[in-house]
């Protein structure tokens, strides 16, 4: 029957009119038609044709036809969802239904849509194929203009659509249809409100899906975002993955993230990587989405960025930078985020007040390094951008300028630390990326090498350090890039020496594994050896010395005895398996031949050679014979062999004269220095081994010993006249004779020093040797005094420059230990010879100071092991131990009460040395602080089992210096030693940095410093500044210093008096250290500087609060919860400003002297009002969202109106009157000059006044706005300020000037003293000025 029925329907449908078809369809029962459709569809026959026929016979204009259509639709939807149909048939049916849907009446469309929504809520859909129909139904519904019955009322088609979408989004969605439902919405027009509903629903579904289903859903959502809600989508995606990463890192399962426990890290990163690609693809299609992403992440800079800046969002940003038009914006944003993060960290670390209020923020640098780590999985799309970011940071924030050979930062000290951290982060990004991604290694190496070559004029130490770390990590893997390194070698001759040394040291592991690279380098160095530029020849020497140090001849002593050697073990390659010992020996001897030729070149080249030979010998002992013979033959050229000839050295041969040009040819002192150290090492290390193996001795060491002995005895006998360097000699730098004499004097003094060291090393505490040493020193001293005396008279820069001592740091350490700490009975008699000369002991300490200063400035010292950090550190520990004992055992006062001798007190020199060493250790050896303090503690050896903290060890040393300072302060005022007191305070400041802020030792130090400042009064400004700075630096690490500032301002006011001379100020005495001499400018400037820091902190907190308000505005529930944490911050801000207000209240009434105090006070007042304005503007924002502000703010405004603003105007008048009065009472002759200089100063110092007045008026303006918005009259506390019009009124000005001229004539006519009529006219004048300005 079904077959005949469907055939009949089809045949009737062929008629031109549908009357017969309609009549036939009316005769059919509901089930019959459904069965026919089902049979045809399942068989896959002419289901489409049958449907068309049914639709033809069921016009929507007739009620029964429309209802029949509805039933057909319902039947077809069930059929499609059943899964029984072939795909083509199902698609054809859905296509036909979609075509016919727009002709449906609105009511039936609503019914159809409700059926869909019901099925979705109940989860009765089987495959979701029919969902393609829903957007067509809803779109058709929206076009219906007539009112439709919906629920209990009537709505338009558009409103019905909105209600249906709302119902759909509020219901349950089966997770398998989420993607289809989201995709469905992109096919229909949506209003902004509807988009918001859909977005909210889909974002909530993220956590309910399997993680693998999230990327396709996000893809659909991003396409949907083109209709609106871009920010909401990005916010939701970033928040979801941020939370997911956080929970994954904590290895905890969130209730909402059901699959987290079974999730591997690789899977999560893979999903995130896919999402990142989807976002970037979507941004390529929709520029607005990219702009929205950047805008959203920029908002994180103001407030708390932990919500929107996370490793995932940074990876998205980096991937976005691959699109050229966004690259610059992305890098600027990342740069701002990184620097802000480091600055915030710096601010938090330096203030206990902030630490108590604000939790530690997540650091952006950690997040970026997390991105690098994750890029090994599926975030590799960001890899290229990571490399570019690393280079960008290193280029932007690396060290900037070299002046006078010393590295300097162009930025101020405060911002230097964030810049250094940013540069270090750039290097870490590149190094970690290099380790993870083999593909990009060559590019990183190329970029670093190109910067090393092309930026020779600017400092590139950071790139050389990175290059060294890269090569050390994988020298074998870099063999493929050897051509790039070889190309770089071609530029060696044109690079500065420092760069060449750094570069060669960095690539040295590569030379061990690549013979071709080594050969290329040797060729380049040989060419450079004969270059016309001196720097190129020095670079060649540096390169050859490096090769000699690192290509060991088999049989040399092990490298364990030679520190800083980059041995084969570090490179994971055995050199000797690759190149045999004969090849290495031949290679090294060839280099030695090349280096011998350098001994005929300039002094600078020879000097490099002499300084390098010792290190070569230590690391390659088989070259001892060659090196020692070279040195012996060189010395013979300048040595007088006859034992009776004085002097024993040919100084004339060491100096080169070319016309008027005189220069040093042979640095004889450094030659002797090199011989002494090489000989000592040879005798100590090589000779014992030769004796054991009964090898034949070379004999050169005996020759050298004999020569040095002979030189010693003859140098002692030589008089200064023998060198033509007596008192009558010319030492001026303007004449050729003077220059020659200066060079000779330096050589002779250097020779004396080396002979002192040589004789001490071979003395074995012999009394005769020590007497010789003392005689050598007296000769040195005599010449040194003459040179210094002549240099003092010449007053030239070069004349005053002292030469570096050629003594080694190890010898200085041993000498000081012997002089001050050696208590062995057998040594006493011989050491008494040296100890009898206080000049010699003073000299020993001053050389130690010189060495430490050199280390501080350059990072290394001259002489053997001067580049070896381990040895230098050991020597520093030994020297410090001696200096500390000497200073604490024999105080300055005791020493000075004894013999009065010319020159600095030895104890004071020791203290100066201790101060310098503490500074150097904290600069270069921060990780070894504990070791350093332990080395100073002599009593430590007994109880080594107990672990003593750094704070406890530092506190022990602090107590010693506290006692010294107390003894100094207990002495009478006239005996007070200012220099020593200042040094003690500096030492205490350095040691305090080692204390933990939470430790009892720190609290004790703070209370002790506070007590000293309160109970001791000294007129010395520098001592007062040091002590008060120490107090402030300790105070800020415990609590806010505002109360301290308030007390200080009262003391300053009491000592300096009031701006109104008739007012007598009650003197407070919180701090005895504040007196008439120290109050201004010393203490005043310190207090103002500290107040400025507090204002910066408050400003930072207000910015943070503003950011939170911006983020809280979103949903109502979140804003009410989010407002809670800001309350303690708000209260703290107002309290800080209130106390600071009382501090400024005192200072603006103080009769401060003209100059920096007034200038800085005016600027700080301006800043104070700017921050008060920022606070008022914050509350304007708060009032907009919540409608009120706390009572405490009203009190602050009242305080500012009564205690600050009126006094500011009085202070401005006081400053202006003071400046004008200072011009009046100068004599006639001085008048013109005084007026011009004073006027310039007046202009400079009164410049902040208009800025201050503007700041006050801005503050009052926003107070008026806040009063209107909050309905609280805040202006009742404010006295309206004088209207200040800065327009110059010509007629008034003429009148005032004429009046001044008449006054001057009257004064000349009646020769009364200026003071007699001083007071009254000044007051009148102030009235006139006020009148004039108003």
């Amino acid at each position: 029957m079904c077959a005949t029925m469907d055939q009949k329907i089809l045949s009737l449908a062929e008629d031109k009119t549908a009357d017969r078809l309609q009549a036939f369809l009316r005769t059919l029962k509901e089930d019959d038609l459904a069965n026919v459709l089902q049979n045809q569809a399942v068989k896959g026959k002419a289901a489409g044709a049958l449907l068309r026929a049914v639709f033809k016979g069921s016009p929507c204009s007739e009620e029964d036809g429309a209802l029949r259509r509805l039933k057909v639709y319902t039947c077809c939807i069930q059929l499609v969802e059943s899964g029984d149909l072939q795909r083509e048939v199902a698609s054809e049916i859905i296509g036909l239904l979609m075509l016919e849907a727009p002709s449906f009446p609105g009511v039936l469309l609503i019914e159809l849509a409700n059926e869909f929504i019901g099925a979705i809520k109940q989860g009765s859909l089987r495959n979701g194929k029919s969902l393609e129909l829903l957007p067509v139904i809803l779109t058709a519904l929206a076009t219906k203009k007539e009112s439709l019955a919906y629920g209990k009322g009537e709505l338009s088609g558009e409103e019905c659509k909105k209600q249906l979408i709302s119902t759909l989004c509020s219901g349950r969605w089966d997770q398998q249809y989420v993607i289809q439902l989201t995709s469905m919405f992109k096919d229909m027009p949506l209003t902004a409100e509807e988009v918001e509903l859909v977005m909210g629903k889909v974002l909530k579904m993220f956590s309910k899906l399997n993680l693998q289903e999230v990327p396709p859903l996000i893809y659909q959502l991003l396409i949907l975002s083109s209709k609106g809600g871009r920010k909401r989508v990005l916010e939701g995606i970033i928040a979801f993955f941020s939370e997911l990463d956080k929970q994954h890192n904590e290895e905890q399962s969130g209730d909402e993230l059901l699959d987290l426990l079974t999730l591997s890290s690789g899977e999560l990163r893979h999903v995130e990587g896919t999402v990142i690609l989807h976002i970037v693809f979507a941004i390529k299609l929709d520029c607005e989405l990219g702009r929205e992403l950047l805008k959203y992440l920029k908002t994180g800079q103001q407030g708390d960025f932990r919500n929107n800046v996370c490793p995932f969002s940074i990876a998205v940003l980096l991937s976005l930078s691959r699109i050229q038009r966004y690259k610059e914006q992305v890098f600027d944003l990342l740069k701002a985020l990184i620097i802000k993060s480091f600055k915030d960290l710096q601010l938090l670390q330096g203030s206990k007040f902030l630490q108590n209020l604000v939790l530690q923020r997540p650091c952006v640098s950690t997040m970026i390094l997390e991105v690098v780590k994750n890029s090994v999985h599926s975030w590799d799309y960001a890899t290229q951008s990571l490399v570019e970011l690393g280079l960008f940071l290193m280029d932007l924030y690396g060290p900037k300028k070299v002046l006078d050979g010393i590295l300097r930062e162009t930025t101020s000290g405060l911002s230097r630390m964030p810049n250094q951290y940013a540069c270090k982060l750039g290097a870490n990004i590149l190094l970690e990326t290099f380790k993870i991604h083999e593909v990009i290694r060559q590019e990183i190496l190329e970029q670093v090498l190109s910067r090393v070559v092309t930026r020779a004029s600017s400092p590139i130490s950071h790139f050389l350090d990175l290059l060294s770390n890269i090569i050390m990590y994988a020298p074998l893997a870099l063999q493929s890039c050897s051509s790039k390194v070889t190309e770089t070698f071609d530029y060696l001759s044109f690079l500065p020496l420092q760069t060449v040394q750094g570069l060669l040291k960095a690539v040295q592991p590569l030379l061990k594994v690549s013979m071709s690279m080594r050969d290329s380098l040797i060729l380049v160095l040989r060419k450079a050896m004969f270059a016309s530029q001196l720097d190129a020849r020095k670079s060649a020497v540096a390169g050859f010395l490096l090769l000699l140090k690192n290509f060991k001849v088999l049989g040399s002593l092990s490298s364990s005895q030679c520190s800083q050697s980059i041995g084969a073990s570090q490179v994971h390659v055995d050199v000797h398996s690759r190149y045999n010992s004969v090849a290495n020996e031949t290679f090294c001897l060839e280099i030695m031949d090349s280096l011998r030729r350098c001994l005929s070149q300039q002094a600078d080249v020879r000097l490099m050679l002499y300084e390098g030979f010792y290190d070569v010998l230590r690391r390659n002992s088989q070259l001892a014979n060659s090196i020692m013979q070279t040195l012996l033959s060189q010395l013979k050229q300048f040595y007088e062999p006859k034992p009776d000839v004085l002097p024993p050295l040919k100084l004339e041969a060491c100096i080169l004269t070319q016309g008027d040009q005189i220069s040093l040819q042979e640095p004889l002192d450094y030659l002797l220095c090199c011989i002494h150290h090489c000989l000592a090492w040879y005798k100590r290390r090589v000779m014992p081994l030769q004796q054991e193996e009964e090898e034949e001795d070379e004999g050169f060491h005996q020759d050298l010993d004999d020569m040095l002995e002979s030189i010693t005895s003859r140098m002692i006998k030589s008089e200064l006249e023998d060198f033509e360097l007596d008192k009558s000699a010319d030492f001026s730098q303007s004449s050729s004779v003077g220059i020659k004499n200066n060079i000779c004097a330096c050589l002779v003094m250097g020779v004396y020093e080396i002979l002192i060291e040589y004789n001490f090393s071979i003395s074995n505490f012999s009394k005769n040797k020590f007497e010789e040493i003392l005689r050598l020193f007296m000769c040195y001293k005599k010449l040194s005094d003459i040179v210094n005396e002549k240099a003092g008279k010449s007053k030239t820069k070069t004349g005053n420059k002292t030469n570096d001592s050629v003594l080694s740091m190890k010898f200085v350490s041993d000498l000081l230990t012997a002089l001050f700490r050696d208590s062995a009975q057998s040594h006493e008699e011989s050491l008494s010879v040296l100890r009898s000369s206080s000049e010699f002991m003073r000299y020993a300490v001053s050389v130690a100071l010189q060495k430490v200063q050199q280390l501080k400035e350059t990072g290394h010292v001259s002489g053997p092991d001067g580049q070896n950090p381990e040895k230098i550190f050991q020597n520093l520990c030994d020297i410090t131990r001696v200096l500390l004992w000497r200073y604490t055992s024999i105080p300055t006062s005791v020493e000075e009460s004894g013999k009065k001798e010319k020159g600095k007190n030895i104890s004071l020199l020791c203290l100066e040395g201790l101060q310098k060493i503490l500074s150097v250790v904290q600069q270069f050896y921060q990780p070894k602080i504990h070791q350093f303090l332990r080395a100073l503690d002599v009593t430590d050896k007994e109880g080594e089992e107990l672990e003593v903290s750094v704070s406890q060890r530092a506190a022990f040393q602090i107590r010693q210096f506290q006692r010294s300072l107390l003894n100094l302060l207990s002495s009478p005022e006239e005996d007070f030693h200012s220099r020593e007191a200042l040094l003690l305070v500096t030492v205490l400041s350095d040691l305090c940095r080692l204390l933990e802020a939470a430790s009892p030792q720190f609290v004790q130090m703070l209370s002790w410093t506070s007590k000293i400042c309160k109970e001791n009064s000294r007129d010395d400004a520098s001592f007062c500044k040091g002590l008060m700075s120490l107090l402030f630096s300790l105070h800020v690490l415990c609590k806010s210093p505002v109360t301290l500032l308030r007390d200080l301002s009262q003391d300053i006011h009491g000592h300096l008096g009031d701006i109104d001379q008739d007012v007598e100020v009650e003197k407070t005495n919180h701090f005895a250290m504040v007196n008439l001499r120290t109050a201004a400018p010393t203490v005043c400037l310190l207090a103002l500087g500290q107040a400025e820091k507090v204002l910066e902190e408050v400003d930072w907190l207000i910015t943070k609060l503003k950011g939170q308000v911006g983020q809280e505005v979103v949903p109502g529930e979140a804003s009410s919860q989010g407002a809670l944490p800001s309350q303690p911050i708000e209260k703290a801000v107002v309290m800080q400003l209130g106390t600071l207000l009382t501090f400024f209240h005192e200072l603006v009434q103080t009769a401060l002297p003209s100059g920096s105090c007034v200038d800085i006070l005016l600027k700080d007042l301006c800043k104070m009002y700017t921050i008060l304005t920022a606070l008022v503007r914050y509350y304007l924002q708060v009032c907009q969202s919540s409608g009120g502000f706390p009572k405490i703010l009203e009190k602050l405004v009242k305080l500012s109106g009564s205690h600050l603003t009126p006094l500011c105007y009085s202070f401005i008048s006081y400053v202006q009157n003071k400046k004008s009065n200072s011009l009046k009472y100068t004599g006639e002759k001085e008048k013109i000059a005084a007026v011009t200089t004073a006027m310039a100063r007046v202009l400079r110092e009164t410049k902040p006044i208009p800025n201050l007045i503007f700041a006050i008026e801005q503050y009052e303006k926003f107070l008026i706005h806040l009063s209107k918005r909050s309905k609280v009259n805040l202006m009742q506390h404010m006295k309206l300020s004088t209207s200040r019009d800065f327009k110059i009124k010509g007629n008034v000005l003429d009148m005032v000037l004429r009046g001044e001229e008449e006054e001057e004539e009257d004064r000349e006519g009646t020769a009364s003293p200026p003071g007699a009529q001083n007071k009254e006219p000044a007051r009148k004048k102030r009235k006139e000025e006020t009148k004039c300005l108003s």
Side-chain angles (χ1 to χ4, degrees), residues 1160-1300:
I1160 291 171
L1161 175 57
L1162 288 169
K1163 283 177 184 171
D1164 283 1
L1165 282 166
C1166 185
K1167 197 165 192 176
M1168 175 78 179
Y1169 276 104
T1170 307
I1171 287 166
L1172 281 168
T1173 308
L1175 184 65
V1176 171
R1177 292 178 77 170
Y1178 161 69
Y1179 279 112
L1180 274 168
Q1181 274 182 277
V1182 172
C1183 284
Q1184 203 169 356
S1185 53
S1186 63
F1189 56 78
K1191 281 277 181 190
I1192 196 169
L1193 178 73
E1194 201 173 339
K1195 289 179 184 173
L1196 178 69
V1197 172
K1198 185 177 180 180
L1199 194 67
S1200 71
S1202 60
H1203 278 61
L1204 194 58
T1205 308
L1207 295 173
C1208 279
Y1209 285 115
S1210 305
F1211 186 69
I1212 288 168
S1213 301
Y1214 161 77
V1215 172
Q1216 288 174 328
N1217 288 335
K1218 194 163 186 179
K1219 298 291 185 287
S1220 57
N1221 289 342
S1222 68
L1223 298 178
K1224 280 188 182 178
Y1225 307 113
T1226 51
E1228 281 302 315
K1229 291 179 182 177
E1230 305 155 22
K1231 191 157 188 176
I1232 297 167
V1235 166
T1236 51
T1237 54
M1239 282 304 288
R1241 195 172 70 245
V1242 169
L1243 282 170
R1244 189 177 68 249
E1245 291 177 353
T1246 54
K1247 198 178 177 182
I1249 291 174
N1251 296 340
L1252 172 58
I1253 291 162
F1254 177 73
I1256 294 171
E1257 287 170 356
Q1258 283 293 102
Y1259 172 53
E1260 290 170 355
K1261 171 186 158 184
F1262 283 101
L1263 274 179
I1264 293 166
H1265 287 320
L1266 185 59
S1267 300
K1268 285 176 182 173
R1269 189 165 286 174
S1270 63
K1271 308 289 188 288
V1272 177
N1273 184 14
L1274 294 169
M1275 290 305 290
Q1276 65 183 335
H1277 313 300
M1278 307 298 289
K1279 182 187 173 188
L1280 278 172
S1281 55
T1282 313
S1283 168
R1284 286 182 175 264
D1285 182 0
F1286 291 101
K1287 181 182 174 186
I1288 296 171
K1289 297 177 180 177
N1291 55 346
V1292 180
L1293 185 66
D1294 286 341
M1295 197 169 68
V1296 172
L1297 288 172
R1298 272 193 228 106
E1300 279 187 2

Side-chain angles (χ1 to χ4, degrees), residues 209 523 567 570 596 936 1010 1056 1130 1197:
L209 296 177
L523 275 173
Q570 288 171 283
R596 280 194 197 96
L936 301 191
S1010 183
L1056 296 180
E1130 287 176 19
V1197 172

Side-chain angles (χ1 to χ4, degrees), residues 731-754:
F731 284 95
S732 69
Q733 293 290 328
S734 52
S735 69
S736 55
V737 176
I739 294 169
K740 181 185 172 184
N741 287 342
N742 269 303
I743 294 171
C744 281
C746 290
L747 283 178
V748 173
M749 287 194 292
V751 170
Y752 278 131
E753 283 193 318
I754 287 304

